[in-house]
């Protein structure tokens, strides 16, 4: 830990020089959320002078750290960040793919073993140190300070393409105010003598055609840029403008937006669930979803994908969790918050899964009925010419216009297969099974912009439901974007002392400029590239380093003492063993399995071929593979760079470039550190009470707790609420630590 710096001598009475950021980050909050606090200075005669320190002062005053207006606003921010698009379009896909309802068992187990402990850890360090990710990991270990910069890099990469998904949702939202919906039917092409359906649409489907051709106007490969898609460019500009306006005042502006962006998706999901349950076939989808396939739980792949989903569902490693919690009161019960937000996230995923499969069950019923009608016409044409009439059950009516149920059709197919074992394939009949339709697993954009949109075209009042659905996607995306951008802005503001307005605008303008890469005709392929390679491995490495930094570098015992001091109670010993042993081991196993998977699977993407109206898996070109590798290297590079700079003393670990301030009669006067003097970092690199030097009796400055009346209200400078300082007019007396 850095040593205490030398005392700064001042001629003026009642002046105390200290880093304002360090002071504010280690003091307890008053009930009005740090907006106003009091300092008591005891002079030599024992008389106390009380000074108010308020934000927004003049004469070079520096603002105190902002705070959440309420606990509800903070919880909604964390929920909005953790609950994102992945809950709607990835969790249902993983459930369907990995054993249905049985998938919930490994997910819950890994949520308890990995998710909640790591989420609690990030909440605790952010709230304890009251810094963004850069400041937090500099505090834990200066040599591991690169973890914070790596988090910022990952956040920036993710923000680049995540806002593109929001722009897609904005485009579909703007197109939903039409009756019928523009993706309801395939467009017709009028020739001189005839009218026919667009071949690309006829080979695929109306919703698939609209997504690839009308919305994305996609090229055949990543190497064919094809120029900008102006519709998506406008939508991307709107998306970044919304993010910029919501974030420009920090949590004071984004916190208010959270009330809508976090709560509205739940209203939409509940409305969709009620509506879907009233549709024919919805129960088939839910039954298919929760029919457990227990044998699949024995596969290692299921556990790996469950761990990955837990990891990303909570937003671990991005720095957004740390940034949001850094604006909390220091005695906030972050353990309760960690458990609450984690289970809200889990139940949101289950709710979204119910909605998705209820709607997909309805869609499967519609598609099966269409398939049956088409194949009944084939059967009628084959009667007496390949199919004998006595093979048709008596209760089934094949006369023109008669409706045949999916069950009756399935009964006929079973009879045909039994009688015509060798000749059945030549009949060219489809099975038209609801189960087969439900087994067509789709995820990501395929679920949201193709499968779900197709189902909504069959809803009564389909434009209304389409508007609601894509507005929900926009809000889910914005909630996650706020946390992601906060993971960039908060550490940079804390570290480099730039104005949040300028940094926010500059960050959004830069991101929009780079984001033009994703709105060209080949942009969807770059989104897939960034999604696969810019976050997965770097975030895993970041979180492993976070865990090791706290549990092994800083020390679990010492961290538990900090938690007891901060929370007022000792956390369960369960977390000690999780942080120390179980969670890092599981994360290392997950990292190794991810490396193995990537090494066995060459970098590839799904290219849409216009002539065939199909997707084909294509290997990235050489330059694309270089970009994939570069994304991983660039995200992780700050960790070894900072470590080497600190290790070889190129950057001195015991110095800080933070400015210092003088407190005099309630005024905060900013000044820079004198040459040759180290800034005092004792509050950042705090020692335990037993290691800290004792302050001189009768000469202390410490926080006055509002509303306190007991003897313990104003504790000793090294106590929970006290912060010991040197009186400005007493030379050569060491400052005490927190």
């Amino acid at each position: 830990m850095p040593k205490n710096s030398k005392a700064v001598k001042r001629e003026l009475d009642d002046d105390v020089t200290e880093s304002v950021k360090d002071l504010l980050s280690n003091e307890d909050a008053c009930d009005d959320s740090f907006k106003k606090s009091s300092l008591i200075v005891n002079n030599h005669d024992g008389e106390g002078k009380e000074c108010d320190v308020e934000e927004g002062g003049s004469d070079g005053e520096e603002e105190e750290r902002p705070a959440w207006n309420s606990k509800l606003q903070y919880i909604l921010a964390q929920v909005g960040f953790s609950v994102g698009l992945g809950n709607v379009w990835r969790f249902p896909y993983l459930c369907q793919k990995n054993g249905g309802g049985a998938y919930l068992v490994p997910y819950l187990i890994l949520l308890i073993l990995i998710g909640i402990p790591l989420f609690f850890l990030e909440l605790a360090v952010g709230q304890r140190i009251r810094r963004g990710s850069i400041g937090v990991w500099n505090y834990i270990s200066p040599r591991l300070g690169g973890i914070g910069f790596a988090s910022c890099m990952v956040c920036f990469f993710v923000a680049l393409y995540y806002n593109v998904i929001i722009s897609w949702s904005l485009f579909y939202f703007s197109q939903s105010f039409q009756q019928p919906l523009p993706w309801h039917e395939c467009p017709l092409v009028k020739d001189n003598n005839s009218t026919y359906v667009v071949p690309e649409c006829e080979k695929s489907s109306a919703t698939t055609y609209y997504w690839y051709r009308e919305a994305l106007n996609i090229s055949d490969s990543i190497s064919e840029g094809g120029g900008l898609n102006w519709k998506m460019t406008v939508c991307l500009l709107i998306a970044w403008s919304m993010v910029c306006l919501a974030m420009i005042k920090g949590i004071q502006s984004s916190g208010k937006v959270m009330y809508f962006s976090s709560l509205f998706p739940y209203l939409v999901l509940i409305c969709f669930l009620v509506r879907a349950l009233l549709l024919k076939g919805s129960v088939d989808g839910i039954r298919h979803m929760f029919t457990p396939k227990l044998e699949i739980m024995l596969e290692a792949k299921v556990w790996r994908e469950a761990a990955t989903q837990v990891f990303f569902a909570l937003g671990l490693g991005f720095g957004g969790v740390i940034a949001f919690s850094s604006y909390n009161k220091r005695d906030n019960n972050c353990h309760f918050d960690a458990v609450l937000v984690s289970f809200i996230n889990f139940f949101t995923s289950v709710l979204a899964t119910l909605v998705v499969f209820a709607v997909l069950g309805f869609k499967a019923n519609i598609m099966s009925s269409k398939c049956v009608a088409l194949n009944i016409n084939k059967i009628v044409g084959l009667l007496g010419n390949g199919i004998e009439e006595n093979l048709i059950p008596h209760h089934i009516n094949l006369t023109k216009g008669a409706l045949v149920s999916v069950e009756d059709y399935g009964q006929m197919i079973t009879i045909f297969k039994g009688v015509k074992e060798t000749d059945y394939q030549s009949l060219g009949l489809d099975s038209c099974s609801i189960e087969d339709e439900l087994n067509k697993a789709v995820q990501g954009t395929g679920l949201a912009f193709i499968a779900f949109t197709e189902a909504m075209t069959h809803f009564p009042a389909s434009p209304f439901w389409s508007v609601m659905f894509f507005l929900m996607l926009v809000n889910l995306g914005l909630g996650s974007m706020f946390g992601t951008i906060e993971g960039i802005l908060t550490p940079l503001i804390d570290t480099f002392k730039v104005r949040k307005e300028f940094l926010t605008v500059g960050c959004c303008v830069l991101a929009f400029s780079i984001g033009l890469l994703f709105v060209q005709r080949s942009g969807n392929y770059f989104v897939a590239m960034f999604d696969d390679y810019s976050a997965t491995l770097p975030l895993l490495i970041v979180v492993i380093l976070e865990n090791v930094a706290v549990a092994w570098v800083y020390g679990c015992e010492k961290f538990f003492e900090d938690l007891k001091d901060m929370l007022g109670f000792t956390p369960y010993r369960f977390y000690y063993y999780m942080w120390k042993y179980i969670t890092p081991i599981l994360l290392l196993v997950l990292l190794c399995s991810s490396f193995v998977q990537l090494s066995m699977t060459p970098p590839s993407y799904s290219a849409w071929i216009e002539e065939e109206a199909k997707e084909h898996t294509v290997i990235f070109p050489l330059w694309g593979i270089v970009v994939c590798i570069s994304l991983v290297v660039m995200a992780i590079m700050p960790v070894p760079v900072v470590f080497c700079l600190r290790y070889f003393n190129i950057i001195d670990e015991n110095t800080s470039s933070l400015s210092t301030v003088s407190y005099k009669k309630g005024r905060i006067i900013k000044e820079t550190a004198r040459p040759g003097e180290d800034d005092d970092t004792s509050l950042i690199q705090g020692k335990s009470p037993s290691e800290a030097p004792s302050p001189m009796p009768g000469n202390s400055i410490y926080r006055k707790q509002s509303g306190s009346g007991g003897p313990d209200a104003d504790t000793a400078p090294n106590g929970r609420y006290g912060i010991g300082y040197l009186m400005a007019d007493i030379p050569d007396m060491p400052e005490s630590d927190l």
Side-chain angles (χ1 to χ4, degrees), residues 283-295:
V283 178
D284 295 328
I286 295 176
R287 186 188 303 114
H288 176 84
M289 174 62 240
F290 288 103
T291 300
K293 304 177 182 67
L294 298 177
E295 67 281 357

Side-chain angles (χ1 to χ4, degrees), residues 156 159-161 163-164 167 228-244 481 485 504-520:
F156 187 70
L160 287 177
Y161 74 85
N163 224 22
V164 176
S167 68
L228 291 178
N229 181 340
W230 70 267
K231 293 178 288 188
M232 288 304 170
T233 304
V234 172
C235 291
L236 183 64
L237 177 62
I238 295 173
W240 275 114
S241 300
M242 293 168 63
V243 171
C244 184
M481 275 296 296
I485 297 298
T504 303
V505 173
C507 179
C508 291
V509 170
L510 176 63
F512 170 74
S513 301
I514 300 175
L516 295 176
L517 174 72
F518 302 100
V519 291
Q520 57 182 338

Side-chain angles (χ1 to χ4, degrees), residues 136-149:
V136 160
W137 303 114
N138 274 329
Y139 164 85
I140 296 295
S141 173
R143 291 183 181 180
L144 294 178
I147 297 175
F149 289 99

Side-chain angles (χ1 to χ4, degrees), residues 414-704:
T414 303
I415 294 173
F416 296 161
K417 286 181 178 179
V419 175
K420 298 181 175 293
E421 296 180 0
T422 57
D423 299 332
Y424 174 75
Q425 294 295 334
S426 62
L427 297 178
L429 299 176
D430 301 316
S431 61
C432 298
S433 169
I434 293 178
E435 289 294 316
D436 291 343
E437 284 290 334
L438 289 171
N439 282 328
K440 294 178 181 178
V442 286
Q443 65 162 325
T445 55
L447 175 63
F449 297 105
I450 297 177
F452 219 86
T453 52
E454 184 172 353
M456 286 188 296
T457 58
H458 302 289
F459 277 28
S462 55
F464 169 78
W465 293 106
S466 183
V467 167
M468 295 286 283
F469 176 71
F470 289 110
L471 186 58
M472 178 190 72
L473 291 188
V474 170
N475 279 275
L476 284 173
L478 286 176
S480 297
M481 275 296 296
F482 293 155
T484 304
I485 297 298
E486 198 67 58
I488 302 172
L489 300 182
T490 297
L492 295 180
I493 291 170
D494 289 345
T495 305
F496 300 107
K497 309 298 183 295
V498 293
R499 286 191 57 119
K500 66 183 68 171
E501 293 87 354
F502 296 152
L503 183 61
T504 303
V505 173
C507 179
C508 291
V509 170
L510 176 63
F512 170 74
S513 301
I514 300 175
L516 295 176
L517 174 72
F518 302 100
V519 291
Q520 57 182 338
R521 290 186 59 199
S522 61
N524 188 45
Y525 307 137
F526 286 98
V527 170
M529 174 191 290
F530 273 67
D531 190 30
D532 291 338
Y533 295 96
S534 70
T536 308
L537 281 180
L539 280 181
L540 269 174
I541 296 172
V542 164
V543 172
I544 290 172
L545 292 173
E546 288 181 357
N547 197 341
V548 170
V550 171
W552 292 93
V553 178
Y554 187 78
C556 253
E557 293 290 351
K558 188 175 181 181
F559 190 56
F560 260 63
E561 290 178 8
D562 291 344
L563 290 177
K564 182 179 179 181
D565 175 68
M566 183 173 68
L567 303 177
F569 63 89
T570 303
Y572 298 113
R573 201 67 179 174
F574 163 82
Y575 292 105
Y576 178 90
Y577 297 108
M578 289 296 105
W579 291 331
K580 191 88 170 178
Y581 306 109
I582 307 299
T583 304
I585 291 174
L586 291 175
L587 288 174
L588 285 173
V589 171
L590 179 59
L591 179 64
C592 293
S593 64
S594 298
F595 266 119
V596 171
Q597 182 198 20
L598 287 175
S599 61
M600 294 177 61
T601 307
S604 59
Y605 64 99
S606 295
W608 179 260
I609 309 302
E610 181 177 358
E611 291 77 13
E612 301 178 22
K614 288 182 181 179
E615 282 188 334
H616 287 279
T617 300
V618 180
I619 305 297
F620 279 114
L622 179 60
W623 64 264
I625 296 175
V626 172
V627 172
C628 294
I629 297 174
S630 300
L631 290 174
V632 177
V633 172
M634 288 171 61
I636 295 302
M637 187 58 67
V639 176
V641 168
V642 173
F643 181 86
C644 292
L645 292 176
R646 299 282 196 186
Y647 183 81
F648 294 106
N649 290 323
I650 299 174
I651 298 178
D652 190 355
E653 295 181 26
N654 297 326
T655 59
S656 172
S657 62
L658 295 177
S659 62
T660 57
V661 296
S662 294
Y663 284 75
K664 181 175 181 180
K665 296 181 181 180
R667 309 300 285 178
I668 306 176
I669 306 171
K670 183 175 181 180
E671 64 181 24
T672 57
R674 297 179 181 180
E677 292 183 349
D678 292 339
D679 288 339
D680 187 2
T681 58
S682 63
L683 288 177
I684 297 181
Q685 304 289 350
K687 300 179 182 178
S688 62
S690 61
E691 298 173 318
S694 300
M696 293 290 291
N699 296 285
S700 63
I701 174 171
Y702 58 92
R703 278 285 162 190
K704 178 181 179 182

Side-chain angles (χ1 to χ4, degrees), residues 181-347:
L181 292 170
W183 50 85
H184 178 69
E185 292 179 347
C186 286
L188 299 176
V189 177
K190 292 185 178 180
D191 204 348
N192 294 330
N193 301 320
S194 62
T195 301
Y196 59 92
V197 177
V198 175
E200 185 182 5
C201 185
E202 190 174 23
K203 293 176 184 177
S204 54
S205 68
T207 50
T208 304
Y209 173 81
Y210 191 86
W211 166 241
Y212 283 115
R213 191 54 50 212
E214 296 294 336
L216 300 181
N217 192 20
I218 199 165
S219 61
D220 285 350
S221 74
I222 194 172
S223 301
E224 301 175 23
L228 291 178
N229 181 340
W230 70 267
K231 293 178 288 188
M232 288 304 170
T233 304
V234 172
C235 291
L236 183 64
L237 177 62
I238 295 173
W240 275 114
S241 300
M242 293 168 63
V243 171
C244 184
L245 292 174
M247 299 296 299
I248 197 165
K249 292 294 184 181
I251 63 170
Q252 304 302 328
S253 56
S254 65
K256 295 178 176 61
V257 180
M258 290 294 178
Y259 287 110
F260 180 77
S261 65
S262 297
L263 294 176
F264 180 75
Y266 289 96
L267 174 64
V268 175
L269 285 175
I270 292 172
C271 291
F272 260 100
L273 180 61
V274 173
R275 183 69 190 92
L277 290 175
L278 299 176
L279 297 172
K280 181 182 178 182
S282 60
V283 178
D284 295 328
I286 295 176
R287 186 188 303 114
H288 176 84
M289 174 62 240
F290 288 103
T291 300
K293 304 177 182 67
L294 298 177
E295 67 281 357
I296 205 171
M297 288 179 58
L298 300 176
E299 298 180 12
K301 180 187 67 170
V302 175
W303 291 84
R304 180 179 59 81
E305 292 190 343
T308 305
Q309 179 64 15
V310 167
F311 183 80
F312 288 106
L314 295 175
L316 302 173
F318 284 94
V321 172
I322 294 175
F324 280 152
S325 66
S326 71
Y327 299 113
N328 262 335
K329 294 183 180 181
R330 181 141 176 266
D331 59 352
N332 174 62
N333 188 348
C334 56
H335 174 255
F336 172 80
D337 299 341
V339 177
L340 177 64
V341 173
S342 297
F343 279 100
I344 287 177
N345 187 292
F346 171 70
F347 288 117

